[in-house]
């Protein structure tokens, strides 16, 4: 008797340091024996997803990332300098506020980004092997945004590091990446959680992991720029909500209050990912079972009941 298992896709969203909770989600899914047939990643979701797709071992992934974040090499990137106690807001708004406060207007007009690509490049090189997307053990999709067309750019082949760099090229913070005639920026602009990429790839069950911040309440609008940032936050939040409505199961680690640059909080972030995934395990298993053909579900249920009777 031939059994067909539904194809399961995992969508890992963007959110800066909050994306380290993806590691906790992967640990739980792996330990529970939930098979992953394809991973799609945006921004830090592309970085974590790429690491795992190459070497599907969540414990080793945690060790590798934690070792790097606790190293002097990571501190030299200066990413922790952007961590400031601010109310929850859209990530691009945070970066834009930093630009507004720290860079004079004429400099902002003459440059494409706050920092050079080399800073992010050092992070990518330390975490990701120099391999091609086609080499991954789990099929991988990396999502960026094409500045020319405004469309998702889904990368299925080519340099894994270059694709991750493009997917994490936060507008205004890191320069756009030129690749195969495309000018690419952070995938979170069009795909904060890359659900559509997995749908287009034919996945039967899509598990989405949302590590973004809640939209919160605007406590004070100081000026026109604050209002512009707020409207951008609302637009991004609405887009993310629409995308997540099309996923089968959404895992939401409780990380909304953690700053996007708080990478030193890795232990807590991973634990929050584990907790959220454990809370959704029953829903994930139910969804997988429901996507099986009826006769297969019936056979599986009867076999389960028989094993329960024998164990009693």
């Amino acid at each position: 008797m031939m059994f067909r298992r539904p194809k399961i896709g995992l969508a890992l969203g963007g959110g800066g340091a909050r994306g380290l909770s993806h590691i906790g989600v992967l640990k739980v899914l792996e330990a529970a024996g939930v098979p992953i047939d394809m991973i799609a990643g945006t921004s830090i979701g592309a970085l974590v997803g790429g690491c795992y797709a190459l070497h599907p071992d969540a414990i080793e992934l945690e060790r590798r990332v934690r070792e790097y974040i606790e190293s002097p090499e990571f501190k030299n990137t200066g990413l922790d300098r952007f961590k400031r106690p601010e109310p929850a807001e859209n990530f691009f708004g945070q970066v834009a506020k930093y630009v507004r406060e720290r860079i004079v207007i004429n400099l902002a007009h003459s440059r494409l980004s706050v920092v050079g690509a080399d800073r992010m490049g050092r992070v990518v090189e330390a975490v990701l092997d120099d391999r091609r997307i086609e080499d991954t053990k789990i099929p991988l999709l990396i999502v960026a945004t094409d500045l020319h067309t405004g469309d998702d750019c889904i990368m299925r082949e080519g340099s894994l590091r270059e694709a991750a760099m493009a997917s994490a090229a936060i507008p205004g913070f890191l320069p756009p990446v030129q690749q195969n005639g495309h000018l690419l920026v952070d995938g979170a602009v069009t795909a904060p959680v890359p659900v559509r990429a997995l749908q287009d790839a034919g996945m039967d069950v899509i598990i989405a992991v949302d590590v973004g911040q809640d939209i919160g309440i605007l406590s004070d609008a100081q000026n026109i720029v604050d209002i512009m940032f707020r409207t951008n936050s609302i637009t991004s939040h609405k887009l993310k909500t629409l995308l997540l409505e099309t996923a089968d199961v959404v895992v939401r680690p409780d990380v909304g209050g953690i700053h996007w640059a708080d990478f030193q909080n890795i232990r807590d972030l991973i634990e929050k990912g584990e907790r959220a995934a454990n809370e959704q395990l029953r829903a994930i298993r139910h969804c997988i079972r429901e996507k099986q053909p009826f006769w297969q579900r019936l056979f599986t249920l009867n076999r389960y009941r028989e094993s329960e009777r024998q164990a009693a």
Side-chain angles (χ1 to χ4, degrees):
M1 183 178 297
M2 294 293 293
F3 285 92
R4 176 189 175 275
R5 179 178 61 75
K7 292 182 290 185
I8 303 168
L10 181 65
L12 303 180
R18 294 188 296 273
L20 296 175
S21 59
H22 290 319
I23 299 173
V25 174
L26 287 165
K27 287 175 66 177
V28 169
L29 295 180
E30 184 179 302
V34 176
I36 303 299
D37 297 291
M38 181 174 286
I39 297 173
T42 287
S43 199
I44 189 151
L47 194 60
V48 173
C51 288
Y52 189 77
L54 270 176
H55 309 288
D57 184 333
I59 299 297
E60 175 59 22
L61 172 61
E62 178 183 10
R63 184 203 63 77
R64 182 172 183 171
V65 173
R66 181 177 290 178
E67 185 177 275
Y68 174 64
I69 287 176
E70 294 172 352
S71 72
E73 288 77 14
F74 179 76
K75 289 180 173 60
N76 289 338
T77 65
L79 288 174
D80 58 336
R81 290 189 301 160
F82 293 91
K83 190 180 78 172
R84 295 179 297 166
E86 297 177 347
E89 59 177 296
N90 175 262
F91 180 69
F92 303 119
Q94 291 183 358
V95 174
K97 182 175 288 187
Y98 186 90
V99 174
R100 183 189 68 197
E101 294 176 355
R102 302 296 179 91
I103 300 180
V104 294
I105 297 299
N106 61 350
L107 180 59
H109 278 297
S110 63
R111 294 179 57 173
L112 293 176
S113 61
V114 176
V115 300
D118 60 318
R119 187 172 299 187
M120 187 62 187
R122 293 198 298 271
V123 176
V124 171
E125 288 177 6
V127 176
L128 271 180
D129 294 345
D130 189 12
R131 304 283 292 278
R132 295 181 64 81
I133 298 174
E134 309 96 291
D135 296 335
T136 58
K137 294 178 181 177
I138 299 174
L140 176 68
L141 306 175
I142 293 182
V143 183
T145 300
D146 189 326
L147 271 183
H148 292 312
T149 66
D151 295 328
D152 298 349
C153 180
I154 302 173
M155 292 167 277
R156 300 175 174 84
E157 57 186 22
S159 168
L160 183 54
R161 286 178 174 175
E162 289 180 10
M165 282 285 292
S167 183
I170 303 147
F173 184 68
L174 290 162
V177 174
Q178 291 275 4
Q179 191 174 111
N180 300 324
H182 301 281
L183 187 62
L184 304 177
V185 295
D186 197 306
V189 174
T190 52
V193 186
V195 175
R196 287 183 305 213
L198 294 173
Q199 291 171 333
D200 293 343
M203 294 296 103
D204 300 308
V205 175
I206 297 176
I207 304 167
V209 186
D210 174 22
V211 295
Q213 287 183 307
D214 295 330
I215 195 168
I217 301 297
L218 179 62
S219 57
D220 195 9
Q222 300 285 341
N223 49 46
I224 295 171
V225 179
D226 284 344
I227 294 173
M228 292 171 64
F229 291 161
R230 177 62 176 181
T231 56
N232 182 55
S233 297
I234 293 170
T235 301
S236 299
H237 179 75
K238 294 296 184 183
L239 171 61
K240 185 181 72 171
T241 300
L242 288 172
L243 291 173
L244 291 176
E245 285 176 353
T246 65
D248 294 287
V249 181
V250 179
V251 179
R252 288 188 174 92
D254 183 19
V255 296
I258 296 176
H259 195 279
W260 68 266
D262 193 5
F263 290 92
Q264 299 301 327
N265 205 16
I266 182 171
R267 293 177 186 272
D268 185 45
L269 285 162
I270 292 175
E271 288 176 1
K272 288 179 182 295
E274 292 181 66
R275 193 175 305 123
N278 275 313
E279 290 173 355
Q280 292 296 326
L281 263 183
R282 177 173 294 183
I284 291 170
R285 287 174 171 144
H286 174 77
C287 185
I288 294 171
R289 185 170 60 250
E290 289 300 304
K291 290 296 179 79
Q292 295 174 335
F294 174 77
W295 65 267
Q296 189 170 323
R297 278 185 281 143
L298 185 61
F299 179 84
T300 303
L301 179 62
N302 288 337
R303 187 170 60 180
Y304 172 77
R305 288 174 174 169
E306 179 62 28
S307 64
E308 288 288 295
R309 283 196 296 268
Q310 292 177 356

